[in-house]
Amino acid sequence: MRGFVVLPKRWIVERFFAHLMRSRRLARDFERSTGSAEAMVYWSMTLLMTRRLARPRPSRA
């Protein structure tokens, strides 16, 4: 099989929440306001994206 594999939407959402729960601060509901909780979600996703961008890519032969 080549190309993209179509995932059910449920798996996409579950994978998103799994990435969020890797951040220790988001594993429990510590935030008092929704604004600070939203900021922590943005921070967690920013860390995830920067790790993916910084990961070395295999060279094409």
Side-chain angles (χ1 to χ4, degrees):
M1 179 184 294
R2 297 182 70 190
F4 289 101
V5 177
V6 178
L7 295 174
K9 290 205 183 277
R10 177 180 58 93
W11 287 3
I12 296 169
V13 172
E14 286 178 6
R15 186 175 57 195
F16 170 74
F17 282 125
H19 286 303
L20 285 180
M21 289 302 116
R22 286 180 55 195
S23 299
R24 292 183 67 192
R25 190 157 177 176
L26 294 174
R28 299 282 185 255
D29 192 19
F30 291 125
E31 308 302 325
R32 292 187 184 268
S33 68
T34 56
S36 61
E38 181 182 3
M40 289 307 299
V41 169
Y42 282 130
W43 179 255
S44 177
M45 286 292 107
T46 303
L47 287 175
L48 176 70
M49 288 187 291
T50 54
R51 281 189 205 121
R52 285 185 180 177
L53 288 173
R55 185 173 28 189
R57 296 180 185 253
S59 61
R60 294 184 182 182

